[in-house]
């Protein structure tokens, strides 16, 4: 597999992140939401390949040992090649270094690929939020709440 580096998201990454976001998410975040944050609890990183191309990213928040995955994506040409798995390993290591011992996330019920990846990475289904995600047709979709305990075995 290609070597990747994890870089804090910065203004130079924004154009590529917005493009990826618009391509891979049903209800994408706006450019304003994706802009680099300066908060001390925020951990926002881009995964970059050897050609300095952004192939994925994540946005997390970590407070008092609790981390929440707010957004994650892998660019379409890199999906199904182990990049999501690698990105989650790096995400978990980043959060452990930030003092997190638990990772929480919500995922669309219909997102079977992401759910399978999360389960493979040790996240377990905890609960459901009915009608949480908006859909393009005006309906809503349930969110599944998942959790993982983090520690030295974050990979």
């Amino acid at each position: 597999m290609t070597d990747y580096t994890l870089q804090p998201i910065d203004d130079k990454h924004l154009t590529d992140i917005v493009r990826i976001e618009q391509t891979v998410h049903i209800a994408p975040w706006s450019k304003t939401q994706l802009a680099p944050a300066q908060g001390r609890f925020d951990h926002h990183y881009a995964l970059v390949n050897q050609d300095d191309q952004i192939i994925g990213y994540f946005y997390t928040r970590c407070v008092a040992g609790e981390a929440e995955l707010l957004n994650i994506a892998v660019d379409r040409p890199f999906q199904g090649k182990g990049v999501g798995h690698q990105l989650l390993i790096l995400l978990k290591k980043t959060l452990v270094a930030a003092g997190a011992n638990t990772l929480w996330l919500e995922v669309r019920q219909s997102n079977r690929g992401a759910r399978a990846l999360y389960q493979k990475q040790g996240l377990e289904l905890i609960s459901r939020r009915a009608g949480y995600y908006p859909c393009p047709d005006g309906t809503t979709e349930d969110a599944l709440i998942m959790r993982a305990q983090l520690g030295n075995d974050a990979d």
Side-chain angles (χ1 to χ4, degrees):
M1 179 160 17
T2 306
D3 289 326
Y4 306 111
T5 59
L6 202 58
Q7 301 177 4
I9 290 176
D10 130 350
D11 288 333
K12 72 179 182 182
H13 300 120
L14 195 53
T15 299
D16 288 334
I17 288 174
V18 169
R19 177 190 55 75
I20 295 167
E21 180 78 6
Q22 296 291 322
T23 303
V24 303
H25 286 299
I26 293 171
W29 283 12
S30 69
K31 183 176 182 179
T32 302
Q33 290 171 303
L34 292 165
Q38 302 301 321
R40 69 181 178 134
F41 300 114
D42 297 317
H43 303 278
H44 304 160
Y45 286 88
L47 189 64
V48 179
N49 69 11
Q50 292 174 334
D51 298 324
D52 206 34
Q53 177 183 15
I54 294 176
I55 58 174
Y57 55 87
F58 65 81
Y59 289 72
T60 63
R61 182 165 295 130
C62 180
V63 179
E66 297 277 320
E68 181 180 11
L69 177 58
L70 304 170
N71 192 339
I72 190 168
V74 171
D75 202 359
R76 286 223 191 271
F78 298 94
Q79 291 179 2
K81 299 178 180 178
V83 173
H85 175 77
Q86 195 66 29
L87 186 59
L88 276 172
I89 288 171
L90 294 170
L91 178 153
K92 288 164 51 174
K93 287 181 178 183
T94 300
L95 293 173
V96 168
N101 53 40
T102 307
L103 170 63
W104 294 88
L105 62 82
E106 289 125 1
V107 61
R108 285 181 180 271
Q109 179 177 326
S110 64
N111 194 341
R112 288 187 174 94
R115 288 172 43 200
L117 178 62
Y118 296 149
Q119 288 172 332
K120 198 174 192 178
Q121 286 277 332
L123 284 106
E124 60 182 336
L125 179 62
I126 300 299
S127 187
R128 172 186 304 268
R129 286 192 177 130
Y132 183 77
Y133 285 110
C135 297
D137 65 2
T139 62
T140 59
E141 179 177 359
D142 291 357
L144 303 179
I145 300 170
M146 301 183 81
R147 175 187 68 199
Q149 296 302 317
L150 303 177
N152 294 334
D153 61 343
D155 51 73

